[in-house]
Amino acid sequence: MKKLINDPSDVVSDALRGIAAAHPELRVDHENRIVFRGDAPVQGKVGLVSGGGSGHEPMHGGFVGAGMLDAACAGEVFTSPVPDQMVAASKGVDGGAGVLHIVKNYTGDVMNFEMAAEMVAAESGTEVISVVTDDDVAVQDSLYTAGRRGVGVTVLVEKIAGAAAEQGRPLTQVADLARKVNAQGRSMGMALTSCTVPAAGKPTFDLPDDQMEIGVGIHGEPGRRRVPLAPAREIAEMLVEPVLGDLDFTGGDGVLVFLNGLGGTPLLELYLMFADVAAALEKSGVRIARSLVGSYMTSLDMAGCSVTLLKVDDELLGLWDAPVRTPGLRWGT
Amino acid sequence: MAEGLDVTALGAWVREFARLIADHQDELTRLDAAIGDADHGTNMHRGMSAVVAALDGTPPADPAALLKQVGMTLISKVGGASGPLYGTLFLRMAGAAGTGEMDAATYARALRAGLDGVVARGKAEPGDKTMVDALGPACDALDAGVAADESLAEALRRSAAAARQGRDTTVPMLARKGRASYLGERSIGHQDPGATSTALLLDAAVTALAGGDEG
């Protein structure tokens, strides 16, 4: 393992020190491992809290700031944070308008956030609504599994719900919008290489040089199948086809396309992939209304990418275009 | 050996579990790498180290207080799925333990309450390839031992053997819960890491609670 680390067991706290040093506009609670908006709690605004295992940066700490999250809890690498963190985060962002928890659908995340919501309600009476994202179409037979995983759509939920909260909309409306984005979004990912968890010191899974994993999860969970490496345009088809097969994305106001890098893939390749994804969508009669290309929800150093499509309308586009000022996403301000 | 479990005996059990987790940390992580996310050993080791530190710092007064402290520490320190699940197991045991010495029947009832808590929190059923597949048989064996009027030591040995056997039955199972479930058919042939750590918990009970006075 070759990584820029001091000690494998310190990677999360060391990275949080870096976030604090690089972004004085944010407030980092090092003890609880929470990144807060510098001005939290914002009175009268719904507080948005998310969090999850570390290793997916910039998600979630990099999405804290005006127009997006109010706080993000950092767990150990690929391990959900604990309820104490989520309780502290919820209290710290409570501006009197309630708190929204944005939770990715993983067994640990769901259980820990569930316990936290119970604790917050019992301790302070603050209203907490949880929205769980589960957009990964790679998971089939979701009745017999932990269900679809929350992946790329989470970034879009955080941006759009964050914009709605910033406009002063009430908790129920912000939660409904978050659910709508999750319901109208679908994702599919692929890996060229495994990631390496610092504490483990070696790759999570073996993937031969001439193979790729289609439908991989953001923690290296196996996908639908392992197939021989193929040209980018064929990979684009392999990702787009199951997404379009799961939900009708034609017509209407078009889609937001999010081409996400998993951490070890250069932007050159991501743009190359985007061209092929756009071509595949055009062939299928899907109109691109907005696009986002870059590594926003990573899996440590995994090489590969994911495609997320979100069916949009005027309201969602307006909220997507609204100003945002975070380390990871920043425009219009 | 003593038939009653007091706070000292339970403390010894928890410490022995921490020792076994430390010894098997790499094995648990390796099992988790095959069908999960390669952190079960690391997370349980971090949690149980904190549990031992808390016991050293604030020695609890009675069995219920000890089990509650263990549960709260695990929930606060572990994260992932094993934090809430092991935390709930100990918290529910605390609820059933009472403040006096626990006899075999009380211990069996407490462990059963723990199992019920794990099932309620994780929504796993027997056969889903989870810790329930080791904990369930362990509870059944403990109940059978109590019903047959076995000594605590005998009942604990029977329970630990059932947990190990339950752990082994997870190998051919198809995972239906947690990250392993995403593997589908590919989860078959791998031993479940959660059932493995649970078998260690029941093994620790034999060593610490049965006094190790018999083979």
Side-chain angles (χ1 to χ4, degrees), chain B residues 138-156:
Chain B
C139 287
D140 294 345
L142 201 54
D143 288 346
V146 170
D149 235 1
E150 287 179 358
S151 73
L152 181 64
E154 281 170 314
L156 289 175

Side-chain angles (χ1 to χ4, degrees), chain A:
Chain A
M1 174 178 64
K2 249 173 144 177
K3 285 183 187 289
L4 299 172
I5 55 177
N6 297 308
D7 185 307
S9 54
D10 293 338
V11 288
V12 176
S13 43
D14 285 357
L16 285 171
R17 285 195 297 113
I19 288 180
H23 300 286
E25 72 278 15
L26 302 176
R27 181 162 55 79
V28 178
D29 173 347
H30 293 280
E31 194 197 331
N32 286 308
R33 296 184 171 182
I34 303 168
V35 179
F36 282 103
R37 255 174 89 147
D39 56 354
V42 182
Q43 287 310 315
K45 187 183 94 68
V46 171
L48 264 64
V49 173
S50 190
S54 294
H56 306 302
E57 293 68 23
M59 192 184 72
H60 296 276
F63 297 139
V64 174
M68 221 162 160
L69 298 177
D70 292 84
C73 309
E76 291 292 329
V77 172
F78 290 178
T79 300
S80 161
V82 298
D84 299 10
Q85 293 173 274
M86 298 153 185
V87 171
S90 302
K91 285 180 181 164
V93 306
D94 181 6
V99 174
L100 182 73
H101 286 176
I102 299 171
V103 186
K104 302 190 297 302
N105 188 34
Y106 298 96
T107 307
D109 293 74
V110 170
M111 282 195 285
N112 282 284
F113 267 105
E114 225 173 66
M115 295 180 99
E118 289 166 16
M119 286 155 81
V120 171
E123 283 175 28
S124 62
T126 297
E127 194 182 352
V128 177
I129 297 183
S130 298
V131 172
V132 177
T133 60
D134 57 351
D135 53 308
D136 191 350
V137 302
V139 180
Q140 294 165 303
D141 299 328
S142 46
L143 279 178
Y144 305 103
T145 64
R148 285 185 168 177
R149 300 178 287 242
V151 286
V153 93
T154 315
V155 177
L156 312 183
V157 167
E158 291 178 0
K159 169 66 185 83
I160 288 168
E166 205 69 49
Q167 290 177 352
R169 299 201 201 183
L171 178 60
T172 49
Q173 257 189 44
V174 176
D176 284 345
L177 269 165
R179 288 195 198 96
K180 176 177 166 182
V181 172
N182 181 58
Q184 297 189 174
R186 296 287 189 280
S187 301
M188 180 80 175
M190 61 80 57
L192 296 168
T193 67
S194 172
C195 49
T196 297
V197 175
K202 45 184 185 295
T204 304
F205 57 92
D206 296 317
L207 190 54
D209 274 353
D210 58 348
Q211 305 254 301
M212 58 183 177
E213 180 89 22
I214 300 292
V216 75
I218 55 169
H219 310 90
E221 303 96 322
R224 285 187 176 188
R225 60 189 196 279
R226 194 164 279 191
V227 297
L229 193 58
R233 72 178 67 88
E234 287 174 34
I235 297 173
E237 298 272 357
M238 286 182 223
L239 296 181
V240 166
E241 185 264 328
V243 170
L244 295 183
D246 205 77
L247 190 71
D248 182 10
F249 283 96
T250 55
D253 296 315
V255 300
L256 188 163
V257 185
F258 170 27
L259 196 283
N260 177 53
L262 290 176
T265 292
L267 203 47
L268 178 81
E269 291 174 37
L270 294 181
Y271 272 107
L272 188 155
M273 273 298 294
F274 189 82
D276 288 322
V277 165
L281 290 174
E282 196 189 345
K283 207 168 72 184
S284 301
V286 177
R287 196 174 72 77
I288 299 178
R290 294 289 187 280
S291 56
L292 179 69
V293 181
S295 298
Y296 294 103
M297 183 187 219
T298 57
S299 181
L300 293 168
D301 51 353
M302 185 185 285
C305 68
S306 62
V307 172
T308 300
L309 297 189
L310 172 67
K311 220 181 188 14
V312 290
D313 52 30
D314 282 347
E315 182 185 34
L316 295 188
L317 285 178
L319 292 166
W320 177 255
D321 292 340
V324 60
R325 195 165 64 247
T326 71
L329 284 184
R330 183 178 290 249
W331 59 68
T333 65

Side-chain angles (χ1 to χ4, degrees), chain B residues 2-19 48 51-52 55 59-71 89-90 93-104 106-108 110-111 142 152 156 201-202 204-211:
Chain B
E3 270 300 284
L5 299 174
D6 58 10
V7 67
T8 312
L10 289 171
W13 171 42
V14 168
R15 285 168 195 278
E16 175 63 10
F17 181 46
R19 195 186 66 78
M48 289 311 296
V51 162
V52 169
L55 285 181
D62 56 62
L66 180 137
L67 293 165
K68 184 175 176 204
Q69 182 177 311
V70 173
L89 167 62
F90 280 100
M93 283 190 80
T99 52
E101 275 195 9
M102 296 165 78
D103 59 12
T106 313
Y107 179 76
L111 198 64
L142 201 54
L152 181 64
L156 289 175
L201 178 69
L202 280 303
V206 176
T207 317
L209 304 184

